[in-house]
Amino acid sequence: MKLPPNVSEWLNLLTRWFHIFAAILWVGTTYYFTWLDARFHDEEGEGAGDGEKVEVWMVHSGGFYVVEKRKTPSLRRLHWFRWEAMMTWLSGMLMLTVVYYMGGVMVDPDVRDISVTTAVLFGLGMLTVGWIVYDLLVQSPLGRNERAFAVVAYALVVGAAYLSTHFLSGRAAYIHVGATFGTIMAANVWMRILPAQRRMIAAVKDGRAPDPAEGARAKLRSKHNTFMVVPLVFTMISNHYPVATFGSDSDCTTLSSLVHKVGLNLPLDFRPNWVILSALVLVGWVAAKIVRRA
């Protein structure tokens, strides 16, 4: 079912406005605390004495701020950072529905002649399966080996890029790979990070020492989010650059012709959009690693 053009346009505009601002708040706080953790690590490395408080001093907007990190939560009022993730994901899903599921851009007959319903079910399946596979991998022994996990995760991303670009329209495939990242990130916050923090607080209220493993697992999920968000933003803006990203038939043919000239045997209708997406996800991860160290 398609919405009237004027209704769709306004709903798209308002939802996109809300979504982008919510995402700024979410990603901003995530990277702020990543930066803060790095500064605490630097301060500790500079030789703070045993029992000496490690503090980070900051200046902003005419004021001076000091932050101290503790392993044990206080029973005083805590300021949570959670609704930014929920609002970003909910507005993103609404925008996905309006622009893609009801906007007529899910299917490209030149890629695969399927119904819109089938394409929508495939897209929703990507989000669901993506979270389940990711969550199981993190909890498996593989999740304790950062490099091995990254290699397997990237191979799965390449597989998702290839499969989606051979089933959906190029534009829809790109946004669904990004939406899968976004779904994993939001689920990390609400299903793994927040429950772990609540259990740590409950332990303190019961007079027990909180389990440090809870904090470590939550921090790992947060770290993963900082890597996923960079390629996610790329997929969000990719629909503005179709020639450079998910491509057109003429550009694909031109690229195939160039590849033939160097001796590789690729079909003339080869579509490199999944290769471009896979490569730029990797570039995004490298960029995230650089930003995390800044």
Side-chain angles (χ1 to χ4, degrees):
M1 180 185 73
K2 279 192 175 184
L3 295 172
N6 286 341
V7 174
S8 177
E9 186 81 3
W10 275 106
L11 191 56
N12 183 1
L13 172 61
L14 294 175
T15 305
R16 192 180 299 265
W17 186 11
F18 184 91
H19 179 67
I20 290 174
F21 194 75
I24 289 171
L25 295 176
W26 181 17
V27 176
T29 54
T30 298
Y31 267 103
Y32 166 70
F33 281 103
T34 298
W35 174 88
L36 201 56
D37 264 342
R39 300 294 77 77
F40 279 118
H41 184 269
D42 291 343
E43 292 291 330
E44 291 167 354
E46 289 177 3
D50 292 338
E52 182 181 343
K53 290 193 300 184
V54 178
E55 300 174 337
V56 174
W57 283 79
M58 296 170 287
V59 57
H60 187 269
S61 62
F64 298 91
Y65 304 83
V66 60
V67 179
E68 176 190 352
K69 182 179 179 179
R70 297 184 179 182
K71 299 292 185 181
T72 303
S74 169
L75 295 182
R76 298 174 60 185
R77 181 182 178 187
L78 287 170
H79 297 275
W80 294 78
F81 297 87
R82 50 186 174 180
W83 294 112
E84 299 89 344
M86 179 63 74
M87 293 299 101
T88 302
W89 186 80
L90 288 176
S91 58
M93 288 303 297
L94 178 58
M95 195 161 59
L96 193 64
T97 301
V98 172
V99 177
Y100 289 86
Y101 298 163
M102 303 176 69
V105 294
M106 287 293 291
V107 177
D108 181 352
D110 291 334
V111 175
R112 191 173 294 268
D113 192 8
I114 56 176
S115 68
V116 173
T117 300
T118 300
V120 170
L121 291 175
F122 179 89
L124 292 173
M126 277 188 66
L127 310 189
T128 305
V129 173
W131 160 249
I132 292 172
V133 171
Y134 163 84
D135 192 49
L136 291 175
L137 282 177
V138 175
Q139 296 182 63
S140 73
L142 186 68
R144 295 190 288 272
N145 186 319
E146 185 173 312
R147 290 186 180 180
F149 178 83
V151 170
V152 172
Y154 183 66
L156 290 171
V157 169
V158 173
Y162 179 86
L163 184 61
S164 59
T165 54
H166 286 75
F167 202 86
L168 306 174
S169 70
R171 178 179 172 182
Y174 269 53
I175 205 67
H176 276 83
V177 170
T180 301
F181 283 142
T183 298
I184 291 171
M185 290 170 61
N188 269 343
V189 172
W190 279 88
M191 298 177 67
R192 295 294 178 257
I193 297 173
L194 292 177
Q197 291 171 332
R198 290 193 184 100
R199 287 191 293 269
M200 295 176 73
I201 293 170
V204 173
K205 287 181 177 179
D206 293 341
R208 298 179 286 109
D211 183 0
E214 296 272 21
R217 287 192 291 266
K219 185 175 181 179
L220 177 63
R221 301 281 182 146
S222 183
K223 179 180 179 179
H224 289 172
N225 281 3
T226 63
F227 279 90
M228 285 184 279
V229 71
V230 180
L232 165 56
V233 172
F234 162 72
T235 63
M236 287 174 59
I237 63 176
S238 65
N239 63 87
H240 298 289
Y241 305 93
V243 174
T245 56
F246 51 85
S248 65
D249 290 338
S250 59
D251 292 295
C252 294
T253 302
T254 300
L255 179 59
S256 295
S257 299
L258 292 174
V259 171
H260 273 282
K261 289 182 180 180
V262 298
L264 295 178
N265 187 23
L266 291 176
L268 289 175
D269 61 349
F270 170 71
R271 292 171 178 259
N273 47 12
W274 66 273
V275 178
I276 295 170
L277 176 55
S278 301
L280 288 175
V281 166
L282 189 58
V283 170
W285 287 359
V286 172
K289 192 171 184 66
I290 294 172
V291 172
R292 284 177 54 84
R293 290 182 174 179

